[in-house]
């Protein structure tokens, strides 16, 4: 078959043709009669009615509910598991919720239309400090508070037109769930991966509980309460996540394939795991009238800087410091001031009568400066639980060490032992340290001129032979502290027996239920009521039957969230957290959606627990299947329009802003123009937006579409509800197209239509070509849009372009009203199916018009997401020769596409120039000067163009 050409986007000419041939039951290539859509009473009634999106929401939510109640539950075969991070039941949805759950539902509905059996569950992260604090404040049971919030938020979620599978619903505070959290804890305990130990812990004095390292920010404040965290020595429960550190690090490579996880998240996890390859080095101590260790071990990843050590610094918890503090009141007084200092403080306490020796001092070729004894400091910037709680201070090659040294020894030179290149080896940049690898300087003795990396290896080898060093790997990751001294959490299923020690609660006695303590809440008491609840605490030992006490700590809520996604696949299993055969068939989660703020805590803990459970507790595994989430989508935050007083900077309440002229908001009390910015939504900034109010006004579908259209998924969304009207206008245009087309009957396909029509291409009249141009303009854009929209739905991050692409397609269909009715109908059908994931109620309403016998919802009536149909080769634009003049002189001619029907004036000029620039002749012969012509004259329908320069 020869290549067929058709026109592009634009209005088609009126069609009056001369005879008629039929393709199937609905495709007609007509000659003699004008083609018009059927003017049925149904069409007139829809066309005259205003589109009421909130009413459509109510109508279709009711229909979905009835269909769901009467529908058979789907099996798990061929399932695709889409999951948003489950919410904490605070009692209200904010726009951040609306965004993440809209994204999740859109992706789920897309895959449903592609034929997948989608799992889209919803549950509640229901334990935790906020609920307990709210209960104390209100004098009610946290269970009562939490369940009421769940009920309210569930109603709000349904208003979003989501397709949640409520048959899988769970709440972590439900005994049917936390029974299995306790079982998982006991599995870890049996494998030696859950243990109790006394350790220095982070204590939140406001929430009166300990925190994991991950829950303390860089400045030493609680991530939850904001209180300054205290260090205390307590006996606590830990999970040995460090046993899985190698696979947690190695499998980041698996997650990085094909950009399955964002690079930013992978980097954050890698940094938190913090693997450092280096060596521990012994620095012998000289102590005068002091009893201390013979040497201090220091871990370093830069042994090449050993010649540049000018002091040692110890953490406040280092054993040497602890021993000396008992003998030195001044040192103890210094230690008492440390909790109030920032971690990067430059203060330090030089230990009296204690000096350290660089181990290189024992080599006769070592420079004299390196042989000198070293001062030993206690410094707050040294972390007690990383490395050995000691650092070797190298001011010439470490930023923190440099700052510390200049604070305490400003009059002493900084020793530079390596430089960027050999000719710079004698240049010491005293204002800032040189931190990269390079070439050893003259201060490195025999190693002068050698590569620093090579020198580091040689030094470790030399010191290892003298038993003064040992190559090791160190990790920043520490075991996961899960004990919480609060009530509202999963009880730890352990009893403490004076004879048997710690004893696990038998499986038959699970769950260990939280006791009722209504008086505690009614009296608004603080602290952990479990500790004083004698009837609950006092029990018998499961092993010997003697007197024992229950553990009164509850688990960190991150334990619950570390495995909840596994419970969703088997939510009604009474005997086990989940059946392993279901886990193997349904896990890992295909697409997991949530905020970047969970990049470390939740995701790291989930990876650990998943690896443990899927490997049946056998230890580490680097198998791909032992990662819980195939793809991770991190959505950006939602910021709201915020008004502030330019004089004071104070945020303004809504009633303090004069919006009589929305383009120039003013401070109501002073009439000054208010400062407008977009800030993270919060009560203190008075910029919060209740999504249920927006939905009530504009409908859920328009709100969802606007939410997606405003910004790419990964970027901050600057919420502007005033612009939703643009979305509602677009949906109204789609609805008008649907009502114009009316009911669609089955018959031949567009491919068959274009194949048969193309056989008459050579004999078409001008009128027939006009119809052909309109047909091909629509169907070419349909095919392009299907490809683009499908790719955007698959990528997820590009969902904003789905809306814009569909708006363009809507315009194409509307402006080519002269196209064959069946082509219009097929195009509208494809448009509605592509809109459906974003605007499900609206799409179902449209589908009920197009397919009144289609079985109800587009998602249950056998409709599939459209696919490209192979017509592209038939739909190439028709060509014409365009002669190009410059100042009236012919320069060249080129073959360009024929302009769309109705393309005139300025539009025609832009069209012709654009098409010329697509040709080889135009690219090479149209200079910038020509394109900047004073006038461009186009005549003969684009067959001649003159550039007047």
């Amino acid at each position: 078959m020869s290549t067929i050409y058709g026109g592009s986007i634009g209005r088609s000419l009126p069609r009056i043709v001369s005879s008629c041939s039929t393709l199937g039951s609905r495709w007609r290539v007509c000659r003699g009669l004008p083609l018009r859509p059927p003017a049925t009473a149904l069409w007139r009634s829809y066309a005259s009615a205003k589109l009421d999106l909130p009413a459509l929401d109510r109508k279709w939510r009711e229909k979905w509910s009835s269909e769901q109640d009467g529908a058979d539950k789907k099996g798990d075969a061929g399932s695709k598991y889409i999951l948003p991070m489950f919410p904490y039941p605070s009692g209200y949805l904010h726009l951040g919720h609306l965004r993440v759950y809209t994204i999740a539902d859109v992706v789920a509905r897309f895959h449903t239309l592609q034929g997948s059996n989608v799992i889209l569950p919803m549950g509640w992260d229901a334990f935790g400090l906020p609920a307990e604090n709210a209960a104390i404040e209100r004098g009610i049971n946290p269970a009562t508070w939490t369940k009421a919030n769940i009920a309210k938020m569930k109603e709000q979620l349904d208003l979003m037109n989501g397709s949640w599978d409520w048959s899988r619903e769970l709440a972590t505070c439900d005994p049917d769930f936390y029974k299995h959290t306790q079982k998982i804890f006991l599995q870890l305990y049996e494998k030696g991966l859950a243990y109790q130990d006394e350790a220095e812990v982070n204590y939140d004095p406001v929430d009166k509980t300990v925190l994991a390292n991950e829950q303390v920010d860089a400045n030493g404040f609680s991530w939850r309460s904001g209180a300054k965290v205290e260090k205390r020595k307590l006996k606590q429960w830990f999970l040995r996540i460090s046993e899985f550190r190698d696979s947690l690090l190695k499998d980041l490579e698996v997650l990085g394939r094909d950009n399955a996880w964002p690079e930013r998240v992978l980097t954050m996890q890698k940094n938190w795991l913090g693997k450092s390859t280096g060596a521990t080095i012994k620095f012998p101590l000289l102590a005068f009238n002091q009893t201390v260790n013979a040497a201090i071990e220091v871990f370093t990843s830069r042994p090449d800087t050993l010649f540049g050590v000018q002091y040692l610094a110890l953490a406040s918890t280092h054993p040497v410091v602890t021993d000396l503090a008992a003998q030195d009141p001044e040192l103890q007084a210094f230690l008492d001031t440390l909790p109030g200092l920032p971690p990067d403080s430059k203060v330090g306490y030089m230990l009296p009568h204690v000096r350290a020796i660089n181990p290189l001092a024992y080599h006769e070729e070592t420079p004299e400066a390196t042989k000198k004894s070293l001062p030993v400091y206690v410094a707050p910037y040294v972390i007690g639980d990383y490395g050995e709680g000691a650092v070797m201070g190298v001011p010439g090659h470490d930023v923190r060490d440099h700052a510390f040294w200049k604070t305490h020894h400003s009059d002493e030179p900084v020793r530079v032992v390596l430089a960027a290149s050999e000719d710079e080896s004698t240049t010491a940049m005293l204002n800032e340290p040189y931190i990269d690898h390079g070439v050893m300087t003259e201060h490195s003795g025999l190693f002068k001129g050698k590569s620093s990396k090579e020198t580091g290896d040689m030094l470790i080898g030399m010191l290892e032979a003298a038993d003064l060093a040992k190559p090791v790997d160190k990790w920043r990751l520490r075991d996961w502290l899960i004990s919480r001294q609060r009530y509202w959490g999963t009880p730890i299923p352990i009893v403490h027996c004076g004879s048997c020690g710690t004893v696990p609660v038998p499986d038959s006695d699970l769950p260990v239920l939280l006791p009722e303590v209504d008086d505690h809440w009614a009296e608004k008491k603080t602290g952990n009521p479990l500790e004083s609840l004698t009837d609950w605490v006092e029990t018998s030992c499961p092993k010997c039957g003697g007197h024992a006490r229950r553990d009164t700590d509850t688990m960190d809520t991150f334990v619950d969230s570390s495995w909840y996604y596994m419970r969703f696949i088997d939510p009604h299993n009474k005997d086990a957290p989940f059946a392993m055969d279901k886990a193997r068939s349904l896990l890992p989660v295909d697409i997991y959606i949530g905020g970047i703020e969970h990049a470390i805590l939740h995701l790291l803990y989930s990876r650990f627990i998943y690896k443990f459970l899927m490997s049946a507790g056998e230890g580490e595994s680097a198998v791909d299947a032992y990662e819980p989430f195939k793809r991770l989508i991190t959505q950006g935050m939602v910021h709201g329009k915020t008004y502030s007083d330019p004089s004071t900077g104070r945020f303004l309440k809504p009633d303090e802003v004069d919006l009589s002229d929305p383009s120039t908001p003013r401070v109501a009390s002073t009439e000054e123009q208010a400062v407008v910015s977009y800030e993270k939504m919060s009560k203190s900034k008075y910029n919060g937006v209740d999504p249920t109010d927006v939905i009530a006004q504009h409908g859920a579908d328009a709100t969802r579409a606007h939410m997606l259209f405003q910004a790419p998924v990964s970027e901050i969304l600057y919420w502007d509800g005033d612009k939703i009207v643009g979305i509602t206008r677009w949906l109204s245009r789609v609805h008008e197209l649907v009502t114009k087309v009316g009911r669609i009957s089955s018959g031949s396909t567009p491919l068959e239509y274009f194949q048969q029509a193309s056989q008459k291409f050579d004999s078409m009249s001008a009128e027939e070509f006009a119809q052909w141009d309109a047909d091909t303009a629509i169907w070419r854009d349909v095919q392009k849009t299907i490809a683009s929209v499908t790719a955007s739905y698959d990528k997820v991050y590009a969902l904003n372009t789905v809306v814009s692409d569909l708006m363009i397609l809507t315009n194409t269909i509307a402006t080519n009203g002269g196209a064959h009715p069946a082509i219009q109908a097929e195009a509208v059908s494809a448009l509605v199916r592509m809109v459906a994931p974003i605007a499900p109620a609206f799409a179902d309403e449209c589908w009920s018009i197009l397919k009144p016998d289609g079985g109800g919802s587009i998602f249950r009536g056998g409709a599939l997401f459209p696919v490209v149909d192979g017509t592209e080769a038939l739909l190439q634009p028709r060509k014409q020769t365009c002669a190009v003049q410059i100042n009236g002189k012919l320069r060249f001619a080129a073959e360009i596409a024929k302009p769309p029907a109705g393309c005139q004036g300025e539009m025609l000029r832009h069209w012709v120039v654009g098409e010329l620039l697509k040709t080889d002749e135009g690219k090479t012969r149209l200079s910038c000067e020509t394109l900047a012509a004073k006038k461009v004259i186009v005549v003969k329908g684009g067959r001649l163009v003159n550039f007047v320069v």
Side-chain angles (χ1 to χ4, degrees):
M1 184 190 304
S2 59
T3 301
I4 307 300
Y5 297 101
S8 295
I9 300 172
R11 290 188 177 85
S12 60
L13 295 172
R15 295 163 296 145
I16 300 177
V17 288
S18 59
S19 66
C20 213
S21 63
T22 302
L23 277 73
S25 61
R26 62 194 175 101
W27 296 96
R28 305 180 69 200
V29 180
C30 295
R31 298 180 180 179
L33 295 174
L35 298 176
R36 293 288 184 269
T40 63
L42 177 65
W43 173 79
R44 284 195 299 269
S45 65
Y46 276 114
S48 60
K50 180 183 178 183
L51 185 62
D52 187 342
L53 291 171
L56 292 186
D57 288 342
R58 293 188 293 271
K59 170 185 174 179
W60 284 99
R61 281 199 296 267
E62 184 176 339
K63 290 180 71 70
W64 293 334
S65 178
S66 62
E67 289 175 2
Q68 184 65 35
D69 292 341
D72 294 331
K73 299 298 181 186
K74 294 181 180 179
D76 292 329
S79 293
K80 198 163 190 77
Y81 190 175
I82 312 296
L83 183 65
M85 294 180 184
F86 66 165
Y88 168 73
S90 60
Y92 70 98
L93 289 179
H94 52 68
L95 283 176
H97 288 121
L98 181 65
R99 190 179 197 192
V100 67
Y101 299 132
T102 294
I103 294 166
D105 186 62
V106 166
V107 173
R109 289 183 181 275
F110 166 67
H111 286 288
T112 296
L113 286 177
Q114 284 200 315
S116 296
N117 180 12
V118 174
I119 298 174
L120 181 66
M122 180 56 67
W124 312 95
D125 192 7
F127 271 141
L129 287 171
E132 186 168 344
N133 290 341
I136 293 171
E137 180 182 341
R138 291 164 176 78
I140 61 173
N141 192 313
T144 304
W145 167 257
T146 300
K147 289 175 182 177
N149 287 347
I150 287 174
K152 181 178 178 181
M153 290 180 71
K154 189 172 179 180
E155 290 179 4
Q156 291 177 306
L157 275 173
D158 280 333
L159 294 177
M160 293 172 54
N161 290 351
S163 54
W164 320 111
D165 183 353
W166 290 113
S167 70
R168 298 178 185 269
E169 182 184 10
L170 60 82
T172 58
C173 65
D174 188 332
D176 287 341
F177 181 88
Y178 72 71
K179 166 185 177 179
H180 298 292
T181 304
Q182 291 172 343
K183 284 194 173 190
I184 292 170
F185 174 89
L186 293 177
Q187 289 180 46
L188 290 158
Y189 180 81
E190 290 166 7
K191 297 293 183 179
L193 297 174
Y195 66 95
Q196 196 175 28
D197 192 19
E198 187 174 84
E200 184 182 71
V201 296
N202 307 303
Y203 188 82
D204 184 326
V206 171
D207 282 331
K208 297 183 178 179
T209 188
V210 300
L211 303 173
N213 289 335
E214 292 84 351
Q215 294 166 322
V216 181
D217 68 20
N219 295 314
F221 292 95
S222 167
W223 73 291
R224 175 76 74 182
S225 72
K228 182 68 177 179
V229 171
E230 300 173 359
K231 294 291 186 180
R232 294 191 180 183
K233 204 89 168 180
L234 295 173
K235 196 170 187 179
Q236 302 288 281
W237 284 97
F238 295 84
L239 298 185
R240 210 180 296 274
I241 189 174
S242 58
E243 288 292 312
F244 286 74
R245 62 194 182 192
D246 285 319
S247 64
L248 287 169
L249 179 60
K250 182 179 179 183
D251 286 354
L252 292 177
E253 298 177 10
V254 174
L255 300 176
R257 295 173 188 165
D258 301 319
N259 298 313
W261 277 42
E263 183 61 36
R264 180 183 174 190
V265 175
L266 297 175
T267 299
M268 292 169 74
Q269 291 236 334
K270 184 176 181 179
N271 290 341
W272 191 261
L273 291 166
K275 182 179 181 181
S276 298
T277 299
T280 55
I281 299 175
K282 292 180 181 178
F283 284 76
L285 288 182
L286 297 174
F288 304 95
N289 300 320
Q290 302 286 347
T291 304
V292 295
N293 297 351
I296 291 176
E297 284 197 348
V298 174
F299 171 77
T300 180
S301 60
R302 291 294 304 273
D304 54 328
T305 65
L306 193 53
F307 283 103
V309 177
Q310 294 184 261
Y311 68 95
L312 295 188
L314 306 180
S316 61
T317 55
H318 193 283
V320 167
V321 177
T322 303
D323 291 343
L324 292 178
Q327 312 165 40
D328 185 348
E330 189 175 342
L331 171 57
Q332 184 59 56
F334 172 78
L335 297 178
D336 293 340
T337 68
L338 296 186
L341 297 176
D344 60 349
S345 170
K346 307 300 185 299
V347 303
Y349 181 90
M350 188 169 71
L351 296 177
H353 314 303
V354 176
R355 304 285 287 186
I357 302 297
N358 191 318
L360 295 179
Y362 297 106
H363 195 283
E364 59 183 13
E365 299 294 336
T366 295
E368 290 301 318
T370 303
K371 291 183 178 181
K372 291 181 178 179
S373 65
L374 306 169
V376 181
Y377 284 88
V378 181
Y381 81 86
V382 182
I383 301 173
D385 61 353
Y386 179 75
E388 307 299 326
V391 300
M392 57 185 209
V394 187
H397 306 290
D398 183 272
V399 173
R400 290 183 307 171
D401 295 350
H402 185 274
F404 186 86
W405 182 258
K406 298 302 286 184
T407 299
H408 295 274
H409 296 270
S410 59
D411 57 340
E412 296 186 41
V414 171
R415 194 181 316 144
V416 178
V417 298
L418 58 94
S421 60
E422 196 166 356
D423 59 359
E424 296 175 329
S425 61
T426 58
T427 303
M429 298 296 294
L430 298 183
N431 291 329
E432 58 183 69
Y434 178 75
I435 61 175
D436 295 326
H437 286 281
V439 178
M440 305 305 294
T441 71
E442 61 182 358
H443 295 293
S444 301
L446 291 174
F447 298 94
K448 176 185 176 182
K450 292 186 178 295
S451 147
S452 63
K453 288 186 177 181
E454 179 185 358
T455 298
D457 293 337
M458 295 174 66
L459 291 175
I460 293 304
M462 183 176 72
L463 293 175
E464 186 177 14
D467 196 28
L468 290 170
K470 181 172 65 175
V472 295
D473 290 333
K474 290 290 181 179
W475 297 75
R476 184 176 186 270
L477 179 69
R478 291 293 172 266
D479 283 342
W480 176 11
L481 169 60
I482 66 161
S483 291
R484 297 293 179 269
Q485 291 72 45
R486 297 300 292 254
Y487 168 87
W488 193 234
T490 299
I492 292 177
I494 293 289
V495 299
H496 299 274
C497 173
S499 301
C500 306
T502 56
V503 181
V505 173
D507 188 79
S508 59
D509 291 343
L510 297 179
V512 176
L513 295 170
L514 283 171
E516 295 294 334
V517 288
D518 289 340
D519 290 346
H520 181 86
W521 313 120
E523 296 172 17
K524 298 185 177 182
K525 294 181 180 179
T526 59
N528 182 5
L530 299 180
E531 295 174 349
S532 57
L533 202 64
T534 305
D535 290 345
W536 184 80
V537 173
E538 302 294 336
T539 186
S540 57
C541 175
K543 185 179 290 187
C544 70
H547 176 265
R549 292 176 58 86
R550 295 190 186 279
D551 199 300
T552 58
D553 283 349
T554 55
M555 295 187 211
D556 177 12
T557 56
F558 282 102
V559 180
D560 306 320
S561 61
S562 71
W563 79 279
Y564 80 103
Y565 54 91
M566 306 181 82
R567 183 65 177 175
F568 276 137
I569 66 170
D570 196 9
H572 307 296
N573 191 327
K574 295 182 179 180
D575 300 321
F578 53 87
M580 188 56 72
D581 60 335
K582 289 197 173 186
R584 292 193 181 100
S585 64
L586 298 177
L587 293 171
V589 174
D590 291 288
I591 301 176
Y592 195 40
I593 306 166
I596 193 74
E597 66 270 21
H598 298 294
I600 295 174
L601 294 91
H602 165 58
L603 291 173
L604 189 65
Y605 295 153
S606 296
R607 295 179 63 214
F608 159 52
I609 293 297
Y610 185 79
K611 288 174 180 293
F612 168 73
L613 293 175
M614 292 301 286
S615 60
E618 295 299 330
E620 295 182 72
S621 174
V623 179
D624 292 7
Y626 295 157
E627 282 296 331
F629 313 117
K630 286 183 184 177
R631 285 187 66 196
L632 175 68
I633 303 297
T634 54
Q635 87 283 353
M637 302 181 73
V638 180
H639 288 197
K641 187 179 287 186
T642 311
Y643 302 99
S644 57
D645 189 323
S647 300
T648 64
R650 182 178 63 86
F651 293 113
L652 299 172
K653 299 177 182 178
D655 59 1
E656 295 177 316
V657 184
D658 178 2
L659 292 174
S660 54
D661 179 1
S663 64
T664 311
R666 298 189 178 278
V667 182
S669 60
T670 64
E671 296 190 359
E672 284 188 277
Q673 186 169 337
V675 176
V676 180
S677 61
Y678 279 87
E679 309 282 346
K680 179 182 176 182
M681 289 187 178
S682 69
K683 292 180 181 179
S684 64
K685 296 173 183 173
Y686 312 108
N687 64 348
V689 175
D690 186 342
T692 56
D693 291 342
V694 182
I695 289 171
Q697 181 179 356
H698 300 285
D701 286 354
T703 305
R704 287 161 58 112
H706 177 64
M707 175 72 73
L708 296 178
F709 183 51
Q710 275 202 295
V713 166
S714 62
E715 295 183 11
I716 291 174
L717 187 153
Y718 299 101
W719 178 259
D720 187 348
D722 295 338
K723 294 181 179 178
I724 296 182
V725 65
I727 293 292
T728 57
R729 281 199 294 263
W730 165 57
L731 293 177
S732 294
R733 293 190 71 196
V734 175
H735 190 256
E736 289 171 6
L737 292 175
V738 170
T739 56
K740 177 183 175 183
V741 166
R743 177 172 181 160
I744 299 177
S745 59
S746 60
S748 302
T749 66
L751 176 60
E752 293 169 332
Y753 168 76
F754 284 113
Q755 285 174 334
Q756 185 168 339
S758 67
Q759 295 173 6
K760 300 179 175 63
F761 187 78
D762 294 335
S763 60
M764 281 185 183
S765 65
E767 292 82 1
E768 290 170 325
F769 270 130
Q771 176 174 316
W772 176 266
D773 286 350
D775 290 344
T776 54
I778 288 178
W779 202 248
R780 183 168 54 250
D781 204 22
V782 167
Q783 298 302 293
K784 181 182 74 173
T785 305
I786 289 172
S788 174
V789 164
T790 301
S792 296
Y793 275 130
D794 273 326
K795 292 175 183 175
V796 183
Y797 285 112
L799 287 178
N800 60 311
T801 65
V802 172
V803 178
S804 57
D805 284 347
L806 294 178
M807 286 178 170
I808 293 171
L809 177 59
T810 303
N811 185 63
T812 299
I813 299 171
T815 55
N816 283 278
H820 194 291
I823 287 292
Q824 294 185 57
E826 284 297 316
V828 170
S829 170
L831 173 61
V832 168
R833 283 177 284 154
M834 287 188 279
V835 169
I838 293 173
F842 170 79
D844 270 352
E845 180 69 14
C846 293
W847 197 247
S848 70
I849 299 170
L850 297 174
K851 296 280 189 178
D853 301 325
S857 173
I858 194 172
F859 301 98
R860 298 190 180 93
L864 291 175
F865 200 83
V867 296
V868 293
D869 63 2
T871 55
E872 183 179 1
L874 298 170
L875 306 178
Q876 297 300 314
R878 292 184 291 125
K879 299 286 185 179
Q880 67 181 22
T881 301
C882 178
V884 179
Q885 296 180 342
I886 298 178
N887 293 332
K889 294 183 178 181
L890 181 66
R891 298 301 185 187
F892 65 93
E895 289 290 309
I896 65 171
K898 285 193 173 183
C903 185
Q904 301 175 10
E906 187 69 20
M907 182 185 299
L908 180 60
R909 285 192 288 275
H910 283 298
W911 167 268
V912 170
V913 173
E915 291 300 309
L916 284 171
L917 290 173
K918 295 178 183 178
T919 66
D920 291 338
E921 300 94 333
K923 291 175 183 176
T924 56
R925 304 185 67 173
L926 288 177
S927 65
C928 293
E929 181 183 3
T930 301
L931 293 173
K934 297 177 182 177
K935 188 181 293 186
V936 179
I937 303 170
V938 178
V939 296
K940 297 182 180 180
R943 293 184 177 85
L944 174 65
V945 58
N946 181 25
F947 293 90
V948 181
V949 179

